[in-house]
Amino acid sequence: MPTDCINYQNSGYFTALIRDYLDQKQNIQSLYHRFPTLENFKGQMEEKQANFDNAHREVLVSVLQKQYEKISTSDLTKKNIESLARPNTFTITTGHQLNLFTGPLYFLYKIISTINLSKELKAKYPTCDFVPIYWMATEDHDFEEINYFIFKGKKFRWNTSSSGPVGRLSTKGLEDVFEVFAKEIGSSNAANEIKTLFEESYLHHDTLAGATRFLANSLFKEYGLIILDADTPKLKQEFIPYIKEELLFQNANQLVLETTKQLHEYSIQVNPREINLFYIEDDLRERIILENGFYKVNNTKIQFSETEILSELENHPEKFSPNVILRPLYQEVILPNLCYIGGGGEIAYWLELKSLFEASKITFPILLLRNSALLITEKQAKKTDKLMLEWKDLFSKQNDLLNERTRTLSEFPIDLSIQKEQLKNQFSYLYSVAHQTDKSFSGAVKAQEAKQIKGLENLEKRLLKAQKRKLHDELERIAELQNELFPNQSLQERQSNFSEFYLENGTKLIPILIHKLKPLETNFDIIGVS
């Protein structure tokens, strides 16, 4: 297996903002609090401990114990829930949508990053406890993003509709998905385990939130993972002062807009609204907008005066849902959290929020880019070696990879750069002659130079094309290998479902990932699997 390593910055799959964050570029240092190093967590713990209201701990523990009442979980998870009542216990949090059957592979990588970072922190700071949290995005409504998963290139879609928070959505109709999927994966022992997991998760639970909790608990309970559904009145009660502030003063909008001005050279991930709240019921999730002194629920006839909406907030806080701008604040208010672990897009929008946290007097968490990995079988590793490829080659765009390999494998140079340089030297003499005689002659010289350079470039392209035909078989093997590892010319972790690899590795899969993924390293992990 190739031994070279590729870091996130050189992988070609991260934005300029994330690359600059990882490189700790000076121009964005004001947008985050502390960079993720083991040493920096000491200051983060001290600050969070001083600023966090321990009354939130009692509420959090009671909510979690209620949510776990009907779930069989590990002693470690139970112990972790109880430990949250103590002031020396902190959380490490990741969040994710309720993708059907976990969706793409990086669902696993996010959670494993939180588990492994919690372990590393415990080893570094043994007098404290660190609890991995998976925050379920139960209040989201982007159902089209989560209603499918991909197994070996085939999409399995849940054909239903959703108009409210997805966590409250009925699992009715997933019997059809199960039936089709069960036929696809065969009847090996691992396949039967996968089918049982799907069936017990989705066919034995009434809501998508319940199904997702069962699924994540089944996969990660032995590692002490706590799964939190924050769509609950008791936790929303803790957030009332911040919801009230948003309704009355709309400060988040201006604060975030000011921050985005500092990000003008990058693509902005999210833009704030005037009011960054939704009004939700089981089948409703719509923005709250302020018009002519009334708070209106968009696309409905529901509206409130200021007095009425504040009364509604006090009596039914569960009907107020923070959007992408306020959700991170909600998380940090109710959790004794030190670090948020997310993908590149998530880290990008968190970088817009520090001024909002400062105005709210809530400690801004350390931001850590989740682990990324490429799972490769022994057969694929041998192919990679045989084709004399390095990992950086496989991460290249396919056309660039094939062109480069053609040049490398060709028995003569295809690059005509030397000839182009010689031609330019010849024309430099003609330019000097033109300047000494008739300056109007320079235009003719320039046109002739461009024509001949263009001719060499066309010859170079034709030569490359001819060599690609000659090397067709080897180039085809390279393309096939890359297509296996990068489905649809995208990262494997953004396409493939874990079940594809569980089918071959069974219960060994997650322990392999737990062992290999190192959350504080910024290398793209290449992990050998069966």
Side-chain angles (χ1 to χ4, degrees):
M1 183 180 288
T3 56
D4 63 311
C5 192
I6 187 163
N7 65 23
Y8 293 151
Q9 293 95 316
N10 294 330
S11 69
Y13 283 92
F14 291 92
T15 64
L17 177 59
I18 297 304
R19 294 196 302 271
D20 287 353
Y21 174 65
L22 294 174
D23 289 335
Q24 302 182 62
K25 290 288 182 68
Q26 189 171 358
N27 62 313
I28 61 167
Q29 286 182 5
S30 64
L31 302 181
Y32 59 90
H33 195 31
R34 293 182 177 91
F35 195 74
T37 65
L38 278 178
E39 292 70 27
N40 280 347
F41 275 92
K42 184 176 187 297
Q44 192 74 17
M45 284 189 288
E46 291 170 352
E47 184 177 340
K48 188 69 178 183
Q49 200 166 38
N51 293 343
F52 188 70
D53 184 352
N54 283 319
H56 294 326
R57 291 180 178 273
E58 295 178 20
V59 177
L60 179 62
V61 170
S62 69
V63 166
L64 285 168
Q65 287 175 337
K66 180 72 175 175
Q67 291 184 354
Y68 273 84
E69 267 182 354
K70 297 180 181 178
I71 292 186
S72 174
T73 194
S74 67
D75 289 339
L76 181 55
T77 293
K78 292 174 184 175
K79 180 183 174 184
N80 279 345
I81 291 173
E82 293 168 1
S83 76
L84 286 169
R86 299 192 294 269
N88 66 334
T89 297
F90 301 94
T91 63
I92 305 299
T93 302
T94 193
H96 198 67
Q97 296 169 298
L98 308 190
N99 293 72
L100 184 59
F101 211 43
T102 76
L105 270 167
Y106 68 81
F107 170 85
L108 269 63
Y109 303 159
K110 287 174 115 176
I111 290 176
I112 291 170
S113 296
T114 68
I115 290 167
N116 283 348
L117 181 57
S118 298
K119 289 179 183 177
E120 286 191 43
L121 288 170
K122 181 63 177 175
K124 177 72 173 177
Y125 304 102
T127 60
C128 295
D129 290 316
F130 306 90
V131 174
I133 298 279
Y134 162 39
W135 178 293
M136 294 195 295
T138 52
E139 296 177 51
D140 277 7
H141 72 297
D142 297 320
F143 183 64
E144 292 300 314
E145 294 183 6
I146 68 168
N147 68 347
Y148 68 92
F149 65 95
I150 297 171
F151 174 81
K152 294 188 175 180
K154 185 174 181 180
K155 185 177 284 190
F156 294 84
R157 185 181 296 277
W158 180 13
N159 293 313
T160 190
S161 59
S162 173
S163 55
V166 293
R168 304 182 190 182
L169 184 63
S170 168
T171 52
K172 186 178 180 181
L174 281 168
E175 303 89 348
D176 298 334
V177 179
F178 174 68
E179 186 177 340
V180 176
F181 181 49
K183 290 178 181 176
E184 186 73 23
I185 64 174
S187 56
S188 66
N189 289 338
N192 289 332
E193 289 171 11
I194 293 168
K195 285 185 274 190
T196 298
L197 183 58
F198 189 107
E199 186 174 16
E200 290 183 347
S201 299
Y202 293 99
L203 307 190
H204 296 174
H205 291 86
D206 296 331
T207 66
L208 187 55
T212 306
R213 180 191 298 280
F214 181 90
L215 175 58
N217 180 68
S218 297
L219 293 172
F220 293 107
K221 61 185 176 184
E222 68 179 275
Y223 301 101
L225 180 70
I226 293 175
I227 302 144
L228 175 62
D229 180 0
D231 181 13
T232 179
K234 279 190 175 182
L235 293 178
K236 288 286 179 68
Q237 191 82 31
E238 308 286 293
F239 198 54
I240 283 177
Y242 304 91
I243 297 175
K244 187 175 181 179
E245 183 83 7
E246 179 69 6
L247 289 170
L248 296 180
F249 303 109
Q250 299 95 50
N251 289 329
N253 181 48
Q254 190 57 40
L255 289 165
V256 175
L257 284 176
E258 286 295 322
T259 301
T260 58
K261 290 177 183 177
Q262 299 179 54
L263 292 165
H264 62 89
E265 61 187 282
Y266 305 102
S267 297
I268 301 302
Q269 189 67 24
V270 295
N271 289 297
R273 302 279 190 178
E274 183 182 4
I275 294 178
N276 293 281
L277 294 165
F278 291 95
Y279 188 82
I280 60 173
E281 294 176 344
D282 286 352
D283 296 308
L284 175 69
R285 186 181 187 267
E286 290 286 352
R287 289 190 297 117
I288 298 173
I289 54 179
L290 183 59
E291 287 184 357
N292 302 319
F294 284 90
Y295 295 88
K296 298 181 178 180
V297 179
N298 200 36
N299 295 320
T300 75
K301 294 181 180 179
I302 303 170
Q303 69 173 30
F304 304 92
S305 67
E306 182 180 294
T307 301
E308 289 169 338
I309 202 163
L310 293 179
S311 175
E312 181 80 349
L313 174 60
E314 290 294 332
N315 294 322
H316 299 286
E318 71 278 6
K319 293 191 176 186
F320 294 80
S321 176
N323 74 355
V324 67
I325 297 294
L326 286 186
R327 190 213 62 80
L329 186 66
Y330 178 34
Q331 171 189 297
E332 298 301 311
V333 165
I334 65 174
L335 292 178
N337 195 50
L338 300 177
C339 176
Y340 183 77
I341 298 177
E346 291 173 282
I347 301 301
Y349 75 68
W350 273 87
L351 290 171
E352 299 178 32
L353 304 179
K354 184 164 174 271
S355 61
L356 171 61
F357 274 76
E358 290 171 344
S360 304
K361 295 182 171 56
I362 298 296
T363 299
F364 195 64
I366 289 174
L367 303 177
L368 178 62
L369 187 66
R370 65 165 173 82
N371 283 117
S372 283
L374 176 65
L375 305 187
I376 185 166
T377 65
E378 185 178 354
K379 183 179 179 182
Q380 290 166 334
K382 287 179 178 177
K383 281 185 186 177
T384 306
D385 281 329
K386 189 174 182 180
L387 293 166
M388 295 184 291
L389 293 168
E390 297 180 345
W391 296 126
K392 63 182 177 62
D393 299 325
L394 288 166
F395 276 83
S396 303
K397 300 300 180 187
Q398 189 163 103
N399 192 54
D400 295 341
L401 170 59
L402 297 181
N403 287 345
E404 183 57 36
R405 293 303 293 170
T406 302
R407 293 186 180 97
T408 301
L409 295 168
S410 179
E411 60 270 21
F412 55 83
I414 294 174
D415 187 349
L416 300 182
S417 296
I418 294 174
Q419 288 75 16
K420 292 177 199 171
E421 194 60 36
Q422 290 172 344
L423 189 64
K424 287 178 182 178
N425 290 335
Q426 291 173 353
F427 272 92
S428 67
Y429 168 74
L430 292 175
Y431 279 121
S432 66
V433 171
H435 282 298
Q436 293 176 45
T437 54
D438 186 351
K439 290 186 178 180
S440 65
F441 184 52
S442 296
V445 173
K446 186 175 183 180
Q448 191 60 226
E449 179 187 26
K451 182 178 179 181
Q452 293 195 35
I453 292 289
K454 185 70 174 176
L456 283 175
E457 289 173 347
N458 286 336
L459 282 174
E460 194 173 60
K461 289 177 183 176
R462 292 181 66 179
L463 190 56
L464 180 65
K465 192 173 181 179
Q467 282 298 92
K468 286 173 93 170
R469 284 197 298 269
K470 186 177 179 181
L471 298 166
H472 173 268
D473 290 347
E474 182 151 4
L475 295 178
E476 187 173 51
R477 288 194 292 273
I478 291 170
E480 286 175 355
L481 175 61
Q482 192 187 48
N483 290 339
E484 287 176 16
L485 297 173
F486 294 80
N488 295 323
Q489 297 294 294
S490 179
L491 287 178
Q492 177 194 76
E493 64 183 36
R494 297 178 186 170
Q495 297 285 317
S496 302
N497 183 258
F498 84 97
S499 57
E500 184 174 326
F501 299 91
Y502 194 98
L503 203 58
E504 301 300 326
N505 294 271
T507 55
K508 296 183 295 183
L509 178 63
I510 288 178
I512 289 171
L513 299 177
I514 291 278
H515 177 68
K516 292 288 187 180
L517 296 176
K518 309 296 182 187
L520 293 174
E521 294 180 5
T522 57
N523 292 325
F524 211 109
D525 293 287
I526 315 297
I527 300 176
V529 294
S530 299

